[in-house]
Amino acid sequence: HNWHIFFWPGTGETLGISAVFEVMEFYAVTRKAVHLYTFQPGEKVPLEPDVSFPPVFTADGCEWSADGSLLGLVDSDTGGVQVLDASDGYKPLCQVPALVGGIRNFYFSPLGNHLVTYERWEKEGGNNVGLWDAKTGQMRFSFTMKNMTAMTWPPLKWTALETHCCRMVQDGVQIMPGSCDRENAQISRIEAPGIMAF
């Protein structure tokens, strides 16, 4: 099997006076499915998954939010991302559609309020990066990014409390409110000629 395993610590339980054991959830990406397991150190290793989801194309097709309350899975049929509420039994919250042909990478903002998606750039395809409300799937805005590299990914970066969001643009960095409401917001710009990464 080609398995890719990713861990997410669950809620800790205190046992006795000084021992704290974290319950871990992890998913294993296989060719046939994404399997979710729960494991607590000191107990038997689970032989069967707690729940399974349809397969994704690559291990990049699964992502938890930073706090573990949301799980995103690329939908192989639609090319979009299904966002699941991990804190409520992995019930579907929303479906984020593909913009031009199929989401290749995505991530959640630090507090899980936003989802950023990337699709391969096509000359006549239009915008290929989308910013979405992670709970409703509503698009906030989209833009074009021709090449995704280690220096350009992630294209949007928030402060830890999501009070502000930054985006690298030609010869500078835009600073906007963390809500990414661009219509009614004052967007500032730091000039940085020749910027390659931030």
Side-chain angles (χ1 to χ4, degrees):
H1 294 283
N2 289 332
W3 288 52
H4 298 275
I5 299 176
F6 301 85
F7 293 95
W8 180 256
T11 57
E13 288 186 27
T14 303
L15 301 175
I17 296 174
S18 62
V20 175
F21 295 95
E22 289 288 324
V23 175
M24 296 184 295
E25 289 184 313
F26 63 93
Y27 58 80
V29 177
T30 71
R31 291 181 186 169
K32 295 183 178 181
V34 175
H35 302 293
L36 183 80
Y37 298 85
T38 303
F39 174 68
Q40 183 163 343
E43 293 186 357
K44 289 184 179 182
V45 175
L47 299 177
E48 297 294 324
D50 296 325
V51 64
S52 294
F53 305 103
V56 295
F57 293 124
T58 69
D60 291 334
C62 299
E63 187 72 38
W64 262 299
S65 60
D67 69 355
S69 65
L70 302 174
L71 176 64
L73 299 169
V74 172
D75 185 322
S76 301
D77 294 330
T78 66
V81 173
Q82 183 178 37
V83 179
L84 306 168
D85 186 347
S87 64
D88 190 17
Y90 294 92
K91 291 182 182 173
L93 274 179
C94 67
Q95 183 80 23
V96 171
L99 293 171
V100 294
I103 294 170
R104 295 189 169 277
N105 293 81
F106 68 95
Y107 65 96
F108 291 97
S109 61
L111 298 179
N113 292 315
H114 308 283
L115 178 73
V116 179
T117 61
Y118 168 80
E119 300 171 50
R120 180 179 289 161
W121 178 74
E122 298 175 12
K123 189 173 184 178
E124 304 298 325
N127 291 339
N128 63 326
V129 176
L131 175 67
W132 312 85
D133 183 301
K135 312 266 188 330
T136 67
Q138 179 182 0
M139 184 191 293
R140 300 271 189 219
F141 66 92
S142 63
F143 56 94
T144 298
M145 185 170 80
K146 291 184 179 180
N147 296 309
M148 185 183 82
T149 67
M151 292 176 43
T152 61
W153 188 258
L156 296 169
K157 296 181 183 179
W158 281 265
T159 56
L161 297 177
E162 292 189 17
T163 57
H164 293 85
C165 179
C166 298
R167 174 182 170 215
M168 183 173 66
V169 294
Q170 185 173 345
D171 293 328
V173 175
Q174 287 182 339
I175 302 170
M176 63 189 99
S179 66
C180 297
D181 177 7
R182 294 165 44 111
E183 288 185 27
N184 303 315
Q186 178 180 353
I187 298 177
S188 304
R189 180 183 167 105
I190 297 171
E191 295 297 326
I195 188 170
M196 296 172 53
F198 79 107

